[in-house]
Amino acid sequence: MSLEPGLPTIPPQTPVRRPTRQLRVGDVLVGGGAPISVQTMTTTNTADVDATLQQIAEVTAAGCDIVRVAVPSRDDADALPAIVSRSPIPVIADIHFQPRYVFQAIDAGWAAVRVNPGNIKRFDDKVKEIAAAAITAGVPIRIGVNAGSLDPRMLAKHGHATPEALVESALWECSLFEEHGFTDIKIAVKHHDPLTMIAANRLLAARCDYPLHLGVTEAGPAFQGSIKSAVAFGILLSEGIGDTLRVSLSAPPVEQVKAGCHILACLGLRPRRLEIVSCPGCGRLQVDIHQLAARVEAAFDGFPHPLRIAVMGCVVNGPGEARDADLGVSCGNGKGQIFRNGQVLRAVPEARIVEALVEEALRLTENAPDQDREAGT
């Protein structure tokens, strides 16, 4: 292992990406071989500009590339210019029900607009105007089709939100824009069931070359939703399908971003940040490994350098795993042996393990450049 701080290099075999056309969302490229971007959505009242911008700043610090903001009311639409002018990352306006807000978002200079045609009144009659405005402003449009808001015509035809219904609805709406010369489109077909979502995206990927946004919609609380999203994203991304994603958890937007970044990092599709390697626990433990791992994770939250830190609870696998990490601790008999790049540095009392790891991490990265944004993009 290299003596320089940082995680191991990306495995040599990463998924071969599906070829797509490319579009630009603000200063972020989507599709066409561009890095897969991580998105989330604010949970603030959009009309509260300061609160919305504060949340955007928080998700940006966590590694978010693009953020989406709901626009359900006139007050929210009126706040769009102030938000877009001060946001550090591109902002997408999320429009339902009222097509006039689409025009306000385009006029406000937003990076993109997301529309769910099944939820927009008389949407088909407005496509020509929306396409003309988007072409003039150079604003891409995301066509979003969810199980819960599928076009009624597709529900009547297919009976329920099947993969075929989701895809047919999305491609039909795309064709309406294509009739007016607009193809700067990104598509999302979402479902709360991972298997349905996977099938829909496979089908869509085979039938078009538009960039695809991945999401298991209404995935659930943090634990359940992260697993469902990781399974669905892992399968599709390993097949080269997907150009941007959101982990839709019933959890703060920052947690959604962290989960998305970590999923991509595990697939070698995004540079890794800090990684905690810790054992699951067994009868050999002489330390509360669950509590210790949580304390180490909390102590290194936001650490700006990519390190692998091993937190091991006994002498069976502990020393070996700790030696393979940048920093590590192997615990037993009320103390911990602190490792750095495979070398034992010192033994410290159990109560000082976290403090000692932080001290050694600071020494190890003292002369390393700040890689926070580099590692998160």
Side-chain angles (χ1 to χ4, degrees):
M1 177 174 176
S2 170
L3 295 181
E4 294 299 319
L7 296 168
T9 57
I10 292 175
Q13 293 185 345
T14 54
V16 177
R17 301 278 299 283
R18 158 181 167 264
T20 73
R21 61 186 73 191
Q22 189 173 83
L23 54 81
R24 181 180 293 274
V25 180
D27 59 358
V28 176
L29 295 176
V30 176
I36 297 169
S37 53
V38 172
Q39 300 188 25
T40 189
M41 191 169 182
T42 57
T43 57
T44 57
N45 181 349
T46 302
D48 187 339
V49 173
D50 288 340
T52 301
L53 286 169
Q54 175 61 36
Q55 195 168 78
I56 291 175
E58 292 169 358
V59 299
T60 301
C64 188
D65 302 300
I66 301 170
V67 66
R68 189 154 40 102
V69 173
V71 188
S73 73
R74 176 174 294 179
D75 288 343
D76 299 317
D78 290 343
L80 298 181
I83 294 171
V84 71
S85 66
R86 294 163 59 187
S87 173
I89 57 176
V91 189
I92 297 175
D94 190 86
I95 311 293
H96 289 260
F97 306 118
Q98 295 295 342
R100 68 177 182 271
Y101 298 152
V102 176
F103 298 106
Q104 279 192 254
I106 292 173
D107 291 341
W110 279 48
V113 176
R114 184 260 187 162
V115 295
N116 190 321
N119 273 349
I120 293 186
K121 298 175 182 177
R122 298 182 61 82
F123 177 83
D124 295 357
D125 297 339
K126 295 291 184 179
V127 170
K128 182 177 180 179
E129 295 176 59
I130 293 173
I135 289 172
T136 299
V139 173
I141 290 176
R142 172 180 145 193
I143 300 293
V145 179
N146 289 4
S149 52
L150 186 62
D151 189 307
R153 293 166 292 188
M154 300 302 165
L155 277 177
K157 178 179 178 179
H158 294 273
H160 59 98
T162 64
E164 293 77 12
L166 295 170
V167 170
E168 183 176 346
S169 180
L171 293 179
W172 164 253
E173 303 301 345
C174 288
S175 73
L176 297 179
F177 280 98
E178 292 165 353
E179 289 178 3
H180 302 291
F182 186 82
T183 57
D184 205 6
I185 296 169
K186 175 176 57 176
I187 306 178
V189 287
K190 296 184 176 182
H191 199 283
H192 62 269
D193 173 58
L195 295 180
T196 302
M197 176 268 193
I198 291 167
N201 278 277
R202 282 173 170 164
L203 182 60
L204 186 59
R207 294 184 58 183
C208 74
D209 67 348
Y210 287 117
L212 302 185
H213 172 82
L214 302 183
V216 177
T217 191
E218 293 97 31
F223 176 75
Q224 174 180 290
S226 294
I227 292 175
K228 290 168 68 175
S229 298
V231 168
F233 295 172
I235 290 172
L236 289 170
L237 292 171
S238 68
E239 297 174 3
I241 298 173
D243 303 283
T244 179
L245 59 84
R246 178 196 179 192
V247 182
S248 299
L249 306 176
S250 297
V254 164
E255 298 307 314
Q256 299 178 21
V257 172
K258 289 179 179 178
C261 291
H262 195 64
I263 290 170
L264 291 178
C266 287
L267 291 168
L269 293 169
R270 193 178 182 99
R272 297 193 183 198
R273 288 188 169 188
L274 183 131
E275 179 181 354
I276 306 294
V277 177
S278 57
C279 65
C282 70
R284 294 186 297 266
L285 286 179
Q286 296 180 350
V287 65
D288 186 336
I289 195 65
H290 305 149
Q291 183 184 72
L292 178 59
R295 288 171 54 212
V296 172
E297 184 177 37
F300 282 91
D301 185 37
F303 194 74
H305 303 284
L307 295 177
R308 172 172 285 165
I309 299 178
V311 181
M312 309 307 295
C314 75
V315 296
V316 174
N317 294 318
E321 294 288 351
R323 279 195 295 270
D324 285 338
D326 295 292
L327 289 174
V329 60
S330 179
C331 303
N333 298 321
K335 60 183 180 180
Q337 282 191 321
I338 305 297
F339 289 80
R340 173 173 164 177
N341 292 323
Q343 302 296 318
V344 178
L345 298 178
R346 51 185 164 133
V348 298
E350 185 178 311
R352 290 201 63 244
I353 287 175
V354 177
E355 178 185 348
L357 287 173
V358 171
E359 290 172 354
E360 294 304 329
L362 292 173
R363 291 192 183 100
L364 181 62
T365 60
E366 183 177 6
N367 297 317
D370 191 324
Q371 302 174 43
D372 185 43
R373 287 301 302 155
E374 178 184 351
T377 56

